[in-house]
Amino acid sequence: MKQIIKLLLLFLATNIYAQNSINGTVLDSETNQPVSFANIYFPQLEKGATTNSEGNFTLNNLPTGNYTILVSYVGFETFSQTITIPSPENLDIRLQTSAIEMEEVIVSTPFHKLQSENVMKVEQRKISDLKNKGAINLAQGITNIPGVEGISTGIGISKPVIRGLSSNRVLVYTQGIRLENQQFGSEHGLGVNDAGIESVEVIKGPASLLYGSDALGGVLYLNPERFAQENESETNLNLQYFTNTEGLSTNLGYKSSGEKFKFLIRGSFAEHADYKTEDYRVTNTRFNEKDLKAALGYQGVNFKTELRYNLNASKLGIPEEIGVQSLKNYPLLPYQDITNHIFSSKSVVFFKDSSLDVNLGFTYNDRKEFEEEHHHDEDHEEHEEDHEEDHDDHEDEEHDEILHPALHMKLKTFNYDVKYHMPKMGKFETIVGVQGMNQTNTNYGEEELIPNATTNDFGVLATSHIHFEKIDVQLGARFDTRNIVVENAIDKNFTSFNGALGFKTNLAKNIVARLNVASGFRAPNLAELTSYGSHEGTNRFEIGNENLNNEQNFQTDLALEYKTDHLEVFANGFYNVVNDYIYLSPNGESINEDPVYLYLQEDAALYGGEFGLHIHPHPLDWLHIESSFETVTGKQNGGAYLPLIPANKINNTLRVEYSLKHLEKGNAFITLSTALKQNNTSVFETETGGYSLLSAGFGGEINVFKNALQFQITGTNLTNKKYINHLSRLKPDGIYDIGRNVSFSVSYTL
C-alpha cells in the first residue's frame, strides 16, 4: 500500500510541476502575410496571448496534455484545433478569410467547443451587441435572440421565456452557478445587471442532463467578464442615457493580471423614471439598481481558480394603474426591494490527460415587498403626496425605515458542481460528475406567500462526445433526486432519470444537420406546492397543491444550416411534449376580494421553431441583410391553448460595417420587427393585435488621447407606435408598452 501511495504522489508531482511553452506564427492563408494582433486562446486553460507585428506569439507555463487552441481575428474564420502540449515544434497557423463574424467558444455545453463543432444548437450573443440595439437592461436585451421573449411588468421587471416556457422551467446560470432568487413569481424579474457580463448563451430545450431540475425549458447562461491578459491592465468607463425614461446607466471597471494572480472589479448604477407612451407615463414603472462585481483569480501550471462576488440591490416599482405623472425615479407603493449576494468559486486541476472541475456557489437573496396597507404613517395619503413631491435621497432612506414589508423572504442556496474530464479514449471524450444544492427559505414579513422550507438536490451524470469521420455524436444520462421539507407540514421526494442523444453531420457541402432528442424534468416549486395567500402584483389568491407530480418532457430538435462565405440560411424546428404540465386556474371563488386560483396539472405539447437567412453579398462584404421568423404554439391535451405563449415574430435588419480615416469599427443598422396577431390564447386571456416597430442606430470607435472611445446612438419604436406585447402583465389594464426611446452610449478604455 505504501508503494502505491508513493507512486501516486510521484505521478501527481510529475504532473503538477511540468511546465511547458509553445511558440507559433499566424499567417493569412492566401497572402502568407503575418496576421498582427490575432487573439490566441485556450478555452480549457482560460489563457491567451496576442500575436506581434510579425504574427508570432509565445505562451508559457502550460500544463501537459491535449488542449484546444483558438485563433481569431476580424475578417477571418476562427481557427480551432486540438494540440498536444508540449509541442515539439513551432505552430504554423493559417487563417482563412471570411466575411462571417468570428465564432466564440460555447461555455454552457460541457465540451467547450465552437458552435460549428457543437452537437447542440446554442445561441450566443455578446452583451455589447444587445446593448447597441437600444436595450434598457439585460432582460430586455435577450429578447433580441430568436426564440427568446420576456414576460414583463413595465421595463424594470421581466423574466425570460424560451420557446413558450418560463418561470422555473428556464434555468439561469451566472458566474458558473445556478441563480436562485425566488424566480417562481410571474412579477419577479431576472435580477441580474448586464455590467460585468461578457456574453449570453441560450440552450433552447431540455438541459436537465447538464443542469438537473428547472432546466426543462432551457438555460440562459451568462458568461462573466474575462480577466485581463497576462501582465496587462485595463480601466473601462461606460455611460448610457435613455430619453424616454430620462434614465442613466453607468459602470466603471478595472482589471489587472500578472503572471499568476488576476483581479477585476466593476461597479454600476442605473435609475429610470416611469416610461412614456404616446399619451401618458405609466405610473410606478420606475426603478433603480446598484451592482458590484469583483473577482480574484490564480493561474498556476496545473491548477487555476477564481473567486467571484456579485452584489445587486434594486428597488422596482410594481405598476397597477395610470396615476400620478412624474419623472421621479424612487418607486411608489407597491414596490420590491431586493438585495442579492452571489459568491462563487471555480477551480480546475489539470492532470496529464484529464482534469477535475470543482464549482461552488452560495447565493443569499433578501426579497422585500411593500404594500399600501402595511404603511404605518398616521395619514398615508398625505405622506404619499409628500413622498412624491418633496423627497430627496435622505428622505428615500427614511421612507424605507417607516415602512414594514408585507412580504419578506430570505433564500439561502449552496450549490456544488464537480465534473471529471476523463482521459480521451480513442474517439471518445467523456465527462462524469455530481451536482447538488441545499436551499432554505425563511419568512420575516407579516404575510407568508410560501412557508419556511428546506430543499436538497443531488444528481449524478455522465456524457460523451464521439467524433467519427463524418458524424459527431453526443449522448448522456443522469439521475436526480429532490427532497422538499416544509416546516411543520410536508416532506416530499421527487426523482427523475433523464437522457440525451444528439447527432451532427454534413448532409452535403455547406449543409450541416443537427438532430437532438432529450428528456427533462422539473420538480414542483414551493409556490406550487404550498401557496396560500394573495400575491401582490397578480391580483389573485393562490392555493398550492401538495400532490403535484414532476413535470416531465421529451423534446426533438432538428436544426439545418446552409453556410457559404456570403450566405447563411437556417431552419430550427422542435416538438416538445410536457407531461403533467402545471398551470394556474380560477375556481370561481374569491378570498379578500381576490379571485382564487388553484394549481392543476395536465399533459401539454409545444411546437414551432426559428427560421432565417443572412446575406453579405460579394464584393459588398460590409453589407448585411438579415431576416428571421420565429413561431411557437402551446396546447394542453384537451385542446385548450397554453397561456403566455409569445406571438409569432418577423425581424428584418439591414446593417453595414465600415471604417473611415478616424473611425474604426463603424456600424449602422435599421430594423423592422413585426409581432403578428396572437389569437391562440388560453381561456383566461384575450387576443392581442399585431404591430410593427422600427429601430435604427449607428456607432463606432475613435481615438481620444491615444485610447479607444466607442459610441452608439440607437432609437427604438421610432414611430412612437402604441402597442401592447402579448406577454405584458399590464395588458389586462390596457396599458401600452414603451414609446419612442433614443439611447446615447459611450465607452472609454484606458
Side-chain angles (χ1 to χ4, degrees):
M1 178 62 70
K2 290 182 179 179
Q3 294 299 322
I4 294 175
I5 293 174
K6 287 181 180 179
L7 287 172
L8 286 172
L9 291 174
L10 179 63
F11 171 77
L12 289 174
T14 301
N15 282 284
I16 290 174
Y17 293 104
Q19 300 185 23
N20 306 289
S21 299
I22 63 167
N23 300 287
T25 303
V26 180
L27 302 174
D28 184 326
S29 63
E30 294 182 1
T31 65
N32 287 325
Q33 293 298 309
V35 180
S36 305
F37 308 111
N39 294 311
I40 315 298
Y41 191 63
F42 285 88
Q44 295 112 312
L45 307 178
E46 294 185 343
K47 194 175 180 70
T50 303
T51 57
N52 61 19
S53 58
E54 297 177 349
N56 299 321
F57 68 91
T58 299
L59 275 166
N60 301 312
N61 300 321
L62 300 174
T64 299
N66 298 313
Y67 302 101
T68 300
I69 184 173
L70 301 179
V71 183
S72 60
Y73 191 72
V74 176
F76 294 91
E77 290 184 16
T78 299
F79 175 89
S80 173
Q81 182 175 303
T82 299
I83 65 171
T84 300
I85 299 175
S87 177
E89 55 187 23
N90 288 355
L91 299 177
D92 182 19
I93 298 172
R94 298 177 182 270
L95 300 184
Q96 303 287 333
T97 57
S98 174
I100 301 172
E101 286 82 357
M102 294 184 300
E103 284 191 275
E104 299 285 346
V105 172
I106 301 298
V107 180
S108 56
T109 53
F111 297 100
H112 292 195
K113 297 181 181 295
L114 297 175
Q115 178 53 48
S116 59
E117 304 167 333
N118 214 27
V119 173
M120 296 177 64
K121 175 65 176 177
V122 180
E123 300 281 355
Q124 185 189 67
R125 296 290 188 278
K126 291 183 178 179
I127 295 299
S128 57
D129 292 340
L130 300 181
K131 294 284 286 183
N132 286 345
K133 293 184 178 180
I136 289 178
N137 51 32
L138 177 62
Q140 188 182 80
I142 61 175
T143 62
N144 291 302
I145 301 174
V148 182
E149 286 291 339
I151 298 174
S152 64
T153 307
I155 56 173
I157 301 174
S158 180
K159 62 191 317 106
V161 179
I162 298 179
R163 287 177 167 175
L165 295 177
S166 60
S167 191
N168 280 91
R169 299 180 180 96
V170 172
L171 184 60
V172 178
Y173 253 62
T174 182
Q175 297 180 194
I177 65 172
R178 57 188 293 154
L179 178 66
E180 294 290 325
N181 61 354
Q182 301 284 17
Q183 64 270 27
F184 64 87
S186 59
E187 83 291 4
H188 294 178
L190 184 59
V192 182
N193 188 280
D194 57 69
I197 296 177
E198 191 164 293
S199 63
V200 56
E201 298 173 11
V202 181
I203 300 176
K204 294 181 283 192
S208 290
L209 168 66
L210 305 177
Y211 300 105
S213 180
D214 301 347
L216 174 142
V219 174
L220 192 69
Y221 197 98
L222 307 175
N223 292 313
E225 180 178 5
R226 291 182 185 177
F227 291 101
Q229 288 195 9
E230 190 173 299
N231 296 319
E232 293 185 8
S233 62
E234 180 182 295
T235 301
N236 178 261
L237 172 65
N238 299 274
L239 298 169
Q240 193 165 14
Y241 175 75
F242 303 88
T243 59
N244 185 287
T245 62
E246 297 194 5
L248 180 67
S249 175
T250 178
N251 71 79
L252 175 66
Y254 172 78
K255 54 186 176 181
S256 180
S257 297
E259 291 185 2
K260 292 186 177 181
F261 288 96
K262 301 176 283 188
F263 170 76
L264 67 81
I265 186 169
R266 185 170 297 276
S268 68
F269 174 74
E271 61 179 11
H272 293 267
D274 297 337
Y275 76 77
K276 189 176 185 299
T277 69
E278 184 185 41
D279 300 327
Y280 48 76
R281 291 194 177 273
V282 180
T283 307
N284 211 24
T285 52
R286 62 194 72 174
F287 68 96
N288 58 74
E289 181 180 28
K290 300 172 184 177
D291 189 85
L292 173 69
K293 292 184 175 74
L296 178 65
Y298 170 81
Q299 185 133 19
V301 178
N302 283 73
F303 174 74
K304 68 182 181 71
T305 187
E306 64 181 55
L307 304 174
R308 291 184 182 263
Y309 170 67
N310 178 210
L311 166 64
N312 185 275
S314 56
K315 290 181 171 63
L316 307 162
I318 302 177
E320 294 184 311
E321 59 185 17
I322 304 301
V324 61
Q325 299 291 286
S326 170
L327 284 171
K328 304 290 186 180
N329 54 53
Y330 194 87
L332 304 171
L333 296 171
Y335 70 90
Q336 301 173 352
D337 185 344
I338 305 167
T339 303
N340 201 49
H341 303 266
I342 303 175
F343 303 85
S344 65
S345 73
K346 177 183 177 183
S347 302
V348 184
V349 181
F350 297 98
F351 305 109
K352 183 177 181 180
D353 296 310
S354 61
S355 63
L356 180 68
D357 296 355
V358 180
N359 292 349
L360 305 174
F362 177 74
T363 305
Y364 173 36
N365 180 257
D366 188 353
R367 175 179 291 273
K368 300 175 184 177
E369 296 186 4
F370 295 89
E371 305 171 13
E372 291 187 12
E373 59 265 30
H374 292 271
H375 198 293
H376 294 280
D377 265 4
E378 293 181 359
D379 190 335
H380 167 66
E381 292 183 0
E382 180 180 346
H383 171 82
E384 194 64 38
E385 182 179 350
D386 292 341
H387 166 70
E388 177 61 29
E389 294 180 357
D390 301 318
H391 75 70
D392 56 22
D393 291 341
H394 176 66
E395 288 172 333
D396 290 344
E397 295 174 2
E398 291 182 343
H399 178 76
D400 285 342
E401 292 176 1
I402 61 177
L403 287 173
H404 296 278
L407 190 68
H408 186 189
M409 298 185 292
K410 294 183 179 181
L411 189 72
K412 300 176 182 179
T413 307
F414 170 72
N415 302 95
Y416 59 90
D417 181 354
V418 181
K419 292 190 179 76
Y420 178 59
H421 295 246
M422 300 174 63
K424 190 173 182 180
M425 295 178 290
K427 301 179 183 298
F428 283 77
E429 296 177 70
T430 300
I431 297 173
V432 295
V434 295
Q435 295 174 332
M437 177 182 78
N438 172 264
Q439 184 176 88
T440 59
N441 181 73
T442 310
N443 285 275
Y444 296 88
E446 299 176 22
E447 292 181 1
E448 186 177 289
L449 180 62
I450 60 174
N452 298 343
T454 300
T455 302
N456 282 289
D457 282 1
F458 177 77
V460 57
L461 68 101
T463 181
S464 292
H465 183 106
I466 314 165
H467 179 71
F468 297 104
E469 184 177 348
K470 294 185 178 181
I471 190 171
D472 283 271
V473 180
Q474 188 169 310
L475 71 164
R478 177 183 179 119
F479 174 78
D480 283 275
T481 179
R482 169 171 286 189
N483 173 249
I484 300 177
V485 178
V486 177
E487 188 177 86
N488 302 319
I490 63 175
D491 186 339
K492 301 280 291 184
N493 288 289
F494 301 92
T495 60
S496 184
F497 181 84
N498 292 279
L501 177 63
F503 306 89
K504 181 184 82 75
T505 188
N506 286 68
L507 294 180
K509 185 179 179 181
N510 301 326
I511 299 179
V512 177
R514 292 179 173 88
L515 175 64
N516 284 272
V517 292
S519 65
F521 86 105
R522 182 181 73 92
N525 61 44
L526 281 175
E528 295 163 336
L529 291 169
T530 64
S531 286
Y532 191 84
S534 296
H535 200 164
E536 180 65 32
T538 63
N539 300 317
R540 62 186 179 226
F541 193 100
E542 298 181 5
I543 299 179
N545 180 357
E546 65 179 68
N547 297 314
L548 294 173
N549 300 317
N550 276 342
E551 287 185 337
Q552 189 76 44
N553 77 329
F554 184 84
Q555 179 166 313
T556 302
D557 286 270
L558 176 61
L560 299 174
E561 298 176 16
Y562 173 78
K563 182 180 293 187
T564 66
D565 288 342
H566 302 284
L567 174 65
E568 299 172 67
V569 180
F570 68 88
N572 307 323
F574 73 94
Y575 192 86
N576 186 7
V577 176
V578 185
N579 295 324
D580 289 322
Y581 182 92
I582 300 171
Y583 64 99
L584 275 168
S585 178
N587 68 354
E589 301 176 3
S590 295
I591 298 179
N592 299 331
E593 299 182 354
D594 288 331
V596 173
Y597 277 71
L598 306 178
Y599 283 98
L600 305 176
Q601 289 188 298
E602 185 177 341
D603 294 346
L606 299 96
Y607 51 90
E610 304 86 40
F611 314 90
L613 60 85
H614 177 188
I615 304 171
H616 29 93
H618 182 73
L620 308 178
D621 294 336
W622 47 267
L623 175 63
H624 298 262
I625 303 169
E626 301 169 351
S627 183
S628 66
F629 171 70
E630 54 193 273
T631 178
V632 59
T633 300
K635 285 186 175 183
Q636 295 179 355
N637 270 13
Y641 287 103
L642 295 178
L644 296 174
I645 299 297
N648 295 343
K649 189 175 177 181
I650 302 172
N651 283 307
N652 292 291
T653 298
L654 178 68
R655 62 184 176 92
V656 297
E657 298 172 340
Y658 56 91
S659 292
L660 303 175
K661 184 176 181 180
H662 298 292
L663 177 67
E664 297 293 329
K665 301 179 182 179
N667 70 87
F669 76 91
I670 183 169
T671 296
L672 182 65
S673 180
T674 300
L676 303 181
K677 180 179 180 180
Q678 177 57 293
N679 49 22
N680 296 334
T681 57
S682 76
V683 294
F684 313 115
E685 292 180 310
T686 57
E687 296 182 356
T688 305
Y691 54 87
S692 294
L693 303 178
L694 182 67
S695 303
F698 68 93
E701 181 180 297
I702 58 177
N703 227 326
V704 178
F705 303 117
K706 298 183 180 180
N707 293 299
L709 185 147
Q710 295 177 324
F711 70 93
Q712 187 77 24
I713 301 174
T714 301
T716 58
N717 192 6
L718 289 173
T719 61
N720 210 20
K721 178 81 172 181
K722 292 195 292 186
Y723 73 100
I724 300 178
N725 189 301
H726 184 68
L727 300 187
S728 170
R729 292 187 57 255
L730 305 182
K731 178 191 168 188
D733 298 316
I735 297 175
Y736 295 119
D737 283 58
I738 188 170
R740 181 188 298 113
N741 184 34
V742 180
S743 64
F744 303 85
S745 67
V746 293
S747 176
Y748 189 62
T749 302
L750 296 173

